[in-house]
Amino acid sequence: MRLGLALGYWGRGPNPGHLELAQEAERLGYDSVWTAEAWGSDAFTPLTWIAAHTSRIRLGTAVAQMAARTPTATAMHALTLDHLSGGRMMLGLGLSGPQVVEGWYGRPFPSSPLTATREYVEVIRQVLRRGAPVELDGRFHPHPYRGADGTGLGKPLKPITHPLRADLPVLLGAEGPKNIAQTTRIADGWLPLYWSPTRLDAYEASLAGAPEGFTVAPMVRAHVCADVAEGLLPVKAMLGFYIGGMGHAARNFHADLMARMGYEAEARRIQALFGEGRREEAVRAVPDAFADEISLVGPRERIAERLESWRKGPVTDLLVTSPDLTTLRVLAELVGVSRR
């Protein structure tokens, strides 16, 4: 099992410690470092900064939002950074949800998310292969565009720049069972948002068709600390925000996922509290048991014991969201990665 460092997206401003964390992760033998975006900082610019200050560690977006860019623009970002970093780029994509797509990006959320995702990935694959000009008779991402409001002058094009790798890895942050199953067919890997090593049956059917070498890279909050309850507070805060605030009460993919994992009543209560503006209560309503099973928190010995269950399933990469260098070092020792 490889280790990755998941830095996420910025809050109010750039995190001054992110570069130091990425450099230490590389020194410790971590395989990858990942950035994200929501409605603030973008995913590619911080990753480029990290690329310029590292030499080996692989670089991933977890995730870049599809609504933020056309698939050809996303492919341009990926192939450019792949060249600049010497072939270290991995492209993680996510569809997001209606509230963000329509509220922030000012675009309609696709009526068929699976079709939109499939077309998006296909266009990117065509760009990276550069075998012929990009052409797709798509419902959501047609190339060239031939809609009634167009000029009719669109011409199929292929990238001027030759991509460094035609097989640059593409991963998807899918949550629904059908979306995960499609991911095993069209992508090189899957980026689960919540992963519980004690509930492998929740993913078994969706992953049944995964080919050999398919990447499963969940994000996990890790923190070496003496007090487990205190260490879980950031996990609960994150869950309260995602489940309560990252989506509409009638359509929230994160809440639906928590419900499928056996916490439906709790998920709906968190949504209700958050919707009423009672955010602190929403965070407190997150069950400690759920926060604990999707994270690695506590003393070193406890983390070492719980880490064994993560090794037994299909997980290939553990993407660690860690607040400190000590935790990164402990996990490197427990997993047995090689220092550089």
Side-chain angles (χ1 to χ4, degrees), residues 38-57:
W39 48 89
S41 60
D42 78 283
F44 290 100
T45 309
L47 205 60
T48 305
W49 183 252
I50 292 168
H53 291 83
T54 55
S55 60
R56 177 198 59 81
I57 197 165

Side-chain angles (χ1 to χ4, degrees), residues 73-104:
T74 297
M76 288 166 63
H77 275 296
L79 72 85
T80 301
L81 186 47
D82 203 40
H83 269 291
L84 292 174
S85 66
R88 291 190 277 153
M89 178 65 193
M90 295 179 288
L91 181 60
L93 301 169
L95 195 60
S96 194
Q99 214 173 37
V100 175
V101 172
E102 297 182 4
W104 180 248

Side-chain angles (χ1 to χ4, degrees), residues 65-67 69-72 93-96 101 107-124 136-143 172 179 182 186 251:
Q65 295 184 335
M66 297 184 213
R69 307 162 189 86
T70 65
T72 46
L93 301 169
L95 195 60
S96 194
V101 172
R107 304 181 55 179
F109 188 76
S111 55
S112 177
L114 268 68
T115 301
T117 299
R118 188 167 59 250
E119 291 180 6
Y120 200 99
V121 172
E122 172 57 26
V123 170
I124 288 173
L136 182 70
D137 185 18
R139 176 179 169 189
F140 297 99
H141 301 290
H143 284 69
L172 294 175
N179 202 353
Q182 175 176 267
I186 68 172
R251 195 168 189 184

Side-chain angles (χ1 to χ4, degrees), residues 150-167:
T151 64
L153 301 176
K155 176 183 177 181
L157 299 168
K158 62 182 179 179
I160 297 170
T161 303
H162 291 229
L164 184 64
R165 295 180 295 163
D167 59 351

Side-chain angles (χ1 to χ4, degrees), residues 71-287:
T72 46
T74 297
M76 288 166 63
H77 275 296
L79 72 85
T80 301
L81 186 47
D82 203 40
H83 269 291
L84 292 174
S85 66
R88 291 190 277 153
M89 178 65 193
M90 295 179 288
L91 181 60
L93 301 169
L95 195 60
S96 194
Q99 214 173 37
V100 175
V101 172
E102 297 182 4
W104 180 248
Y105 294 113
R107 304 181 55 179
F109 188 76
S111 55
S112 177
L114 268 68
T115 301
T117 299
R118 188 167 59 250
E119 291 180 6
Y120 200 99
V121 172
E122 172 57 26
V123 170
I124 288 173
R125 297 285 201 197
Q126 287 192 37
V127 173
L128 294 175
R129 288 194 297 265
R130 202 179 178 273
V134 176
E135 289 194 82
L136 182 70
D137 185 18
R139 176 179 169 189
F140 297 99
H141 301 290
H143 284 69
Y145 181 74
R146 296 190 175 94
D149 56 345
T151 64
L153 301 176
K155 176 183 177 181
L157 299 168
K158 62 182 179 179
I160 297 170
T161 303
H162 291 229
L164 184 64
R165 295 180 295 163
D167 59 351
L168 185 154
V170 177
L171 302 92
L172 294 175
E175 291 187 48
K178 292 181 180 179
N179 202 353
I180 298 168
Q182 175 176 267
T183 298
T184 66
R185 298 190 296 271
I186 68 172
D188 301 296
W190 174 42
L191 297 162
L193 182 60
Y194 311 137
W195 178 273
S196 171
T198 64
R199 299 177 189 271
L200 298 182
D201 56 331
Y203 324 102
E204 189 174 9
S206 298
L207 291 174
E212 186 175 353
F214 186 77
T215 297
V216 177
M219 281 181 279
V220 56
R221 172 78 175 191
H223 189 195
V224 177
C225 59
D227 189 326
V228 174
E230 184 178 342
L232 288 175
L233 289 177
V235 184
K236 296 179 66 169
M238 175 272 293
L239 288 168
F241 175 63
Y242 270 72
I243 292 159
M246 277 273 203
H248 191 270
R251 195 168 189 184
N252 183 316
F253 301 132
H254 309 304
D256 293 344
L257 175 58
M258 182 179 175
R260 286 196 301 274
M261 294 177 74
Y263 294 91
E264 181 166 11
E266 293 87 343
R268 304 312 170 199
R269 174 164 170 73
I270 293 165
Q271 282 187 288
L273 290 170
F274 203 95
E276 294 168 5
R278 298 155 66 184
R279 297 191 176 190
E280 291 185 8
E281 290 182 66
V283 171
R284 289 197 297 271
V286 175

